[in-house]
Amino acid sequence: MRRSLPTVDEFLQGILAANRVVLGQAITLVESARPEHQALAQEIIAQLLQFQSSISTQETLRIAVTGAPGVGKSTFIEALGMQLNEQGRKVAVLAIDPTSSVSKGSILGDKTRMERLSTSELAFIRPSPSGESLGGVARKTRETILLVEAAGYETVIVETVGVGQSEIAAHSMTDVFLLLLLPGAGDELQGIKRGIVEMADILAVNKADGDRVKLANQARAHYLNATHLLPSKPSGWLPKVLACSAEQGMGISEIWQTIQDFKMHTLANGFFHENRRQQAGYWLREALEAGLKNAFFAHPVVREKLAVIEPDVLAGRMSPFAAAESVLKFFLNRAKA
Ligand code: GDP
């Protein structure tokens, strides 16, 4: 017999008491496609938001970490996470990896990552949700942030793969954006899109150890120059370029200090809160768009009309735009009736 799910109250109590099993179950609900799971997840989140409005947002920090595959993201996150744990800070590590849904082999990988951090009492690591679209994957991660924060993980790291759209999603749910780079190579060789460099608040050249120190310094100078040429940011923050060795634990404290500086800077000028407000608005519109789209295509009237009209479009007897217009009109008229 299947065990029944905990009630909303049991979920709330479990999450607020930082029960990891209950937290994991709640995230599974968020990730589930089943309507009854979604309904329960929404109820839990709605109730948690009531609690959360009483927690000061100044206590939480959401950090995006990105960079090309192999740059050292998991090594870095583990090093930073362990340092924060040593200071008594709780850290949650989430991920947005749309490749995990496209192909079986995800870029962030199924290999055992962050072995030390994953056994720490003060850390909670969750692999990327899967989903049919990046939007779906990202939305689940965004909701999971609320859950882990309610469970007291005041620092949340959102890891992405560094090769495209998932960075924009991570950027739209975090306070500070950290880009890891390799020693030496320029943008093209790093596999990093220019837009991603522009999003970064902090750039860190990793693997600055052994005989790579010189190359790391070159990369640092290159990116320092590049960031000076970028238009100024709405946060009023000038991106910082640092070097580190995640493997040897060097430069990690400096990066954490710079993250703190960024937070102080944006709290002082109001950007921190304004950015979170804008992000909430963005996700409201995203959720509406996704909901509308699903409702539209699932509607019997739309299915019926599409079944009739689509063959005409495919055969070139009707333009796709005229057909879309006609289906929309049909749907909106029915909705009014
Ligand atoms: P990810 O794909 O970005 O998550 O990269 P990983 O953290 O899995 O690291 C890729 C490889 O680079 C691994 O073999 C790491 O041991 C190595 N690596 C990571 N950080 C450093 C570093 O600071 N210095 C050196 N020399 N190697 C590193």
Side-chain angles (χ1 to χ4, degrees):
M1 212 178 76
R2 256 185 66 224
R3 267 202 356 228
S4 60
L5 283 167
T7 62
V8 171
D9 269 349
E10 286 166 344
F11 267 117
L12 292 175
Q13 281 167 21
I15 293 167
L16 292 170
N19 179 322
R20 303 165 74 102
V21 176
V22 177
L23 176 61
Q25 280 178 314
I27 297 174
T28 303
L29 286 184
V30 161
E31 293 175 351
S32 165
R34 289 182 41 187
E36 68 270 29
H37 288 173
Q38 273 303 312
L40 190 54
Q42 290 315 316
E43 178 68 26
I44 295 164
I45 289 171
Q47 302 243 11
L48 285 176
L49 282 176
Q50 308 259 319
F51 283 101
Q52 261 183 338
S53 50
S54 60
I55 307 174
S56 161
T57 47
Q58 305 203 6
E59 287 166 18
T60 62
L61 183 63
R62 305 165 183 169
I63 308 168
V65 173
T66 194
V71 71
K73 291 180 294 298
S74 41
T75 313
F76 173 83
I77 292 169
E78 173 154 87
L80 177 62
M82 294 300 290
Q83 269 198 18
L84 296 180
N85 281 179
E86 277 157 25
Q87 298 167 15
R89 286 172 177 272
K90 289 175 73 175
V91 179
V93 182
L94 312 177
I96 301 177
D97 180 3
T99 54
S100 64
S101 43
V102 178
S103 63
K104 275 272 169 261
S106 73
I107 294 188
L108 290 178
D110 302 324
K111 62 188 159 141
T112 313
R113 312 169 81 241
M114 304 176 213
E115 264 172 55
R116 281 184 307 140
L117 193 62
S118 62
T119 58
S120 165
E121 280 289 307
L122 297 178
F124 184 86
I125 302 178
R126 183 87 179 182
S128 175
S130 56
E132 54 306 322
S133 67
L134 167 63
V137 173
R139 177 198 162 151
K140 291 170 191 172
T141 303
R142 156 79 193 187
E143 293 196 313
T144 299
I145 290 179
L146 302 176
L147 295 178
V148 296
E149 284 180 350
Y153 294 90
E154 70 274 289
T155 306
V156 181
I157 297 176
V158 178
E159 179 184 9
T160 62
V161 288
V163 290
Q165 291 290 315
S166 52
E167 282 63 43
I168 296 171
H171 188 248
S172 65
M173 64 179 81
T174 51
D175 307 309
V176 57
F177 194 95
L178 173 63
L179 172 63
L180 294 182
L181 298 158
L182 290 168
D187 283 7
E188 309 73 33
L189 294 173
Q190 302 255 1
I192 294 292
K193 300 234 162 40
R194 187 175 170 77
I196 298 178
V197 175
E198 285 176 17
M199 279 192 285
D201 300 303
I202 302 169
L203 300 89
V205 181
N206 188 36
K207 307 197 185 185
D209 48 45
D211 49 15
R212 296 194 196 82
V213 172
K214 199 169 157 216
L215 282 174
N217 284 333
Q218 281 172 7
R220 220 181 135 183
H222 168 80
Y223 281 101
L224 202 55
N225 204 18
T227 51
H228 280 124
L229 300 174
L230 295 175
S232 59
K233 287 173 167 288
S235 60
W237 168 264
L238 187 65
K240 302 285 179 295
V241 188
L242 304 163
C244 66
S245 167
E247 204 164 69
Q248 300 189 2
M250 284 183 326
I252 308 296
S253 317
E254 288 76 6
I255 292 174
W256 177 243
Q257 184 54 52
T258 309
I259 292 172
Q260 294 298 318
D261 292 347
F262 175 87
K263 187 175 179 183
M264 295 306 291
H265 171 90
T266 52
L267 276 174
N269 70 10
F271 179 82
F272 189 91
H273 288 112
E274 183 52 28
N275 189 39
R276 282 206 178 177
R277 282 161 43 89
Q278 303 254 349
Q279 290 179 341
Y282 168 84
W283 286 98
L284 166 66
R285 284 185 299 277
E286 281 286 303
L288 277 174
E289 257 177 53
L292 264 180
K293 210 161 123 186
N294 287 343
F296 177 79
F297 284 109
H299 201 285
V301 163
V302 173
R303 294 173 150 225
E304 207 178 295
K305 186 84 180 156
L306 261 182
V308 177
I309 222 167
E310 197 168 7
D312 284 342
V313 173
L314 299 188
R317 286 189 295 271
M318 197 174 186
S319 106
F321 308 104
E325 182 96 22
S326 136
V327 178
L328 277 170
K329 257 196 195 137
F330 196 72
F331 172 73
L332 292 173
N333 281 338
R334 280 296 181 93
K336 265 189 258 163

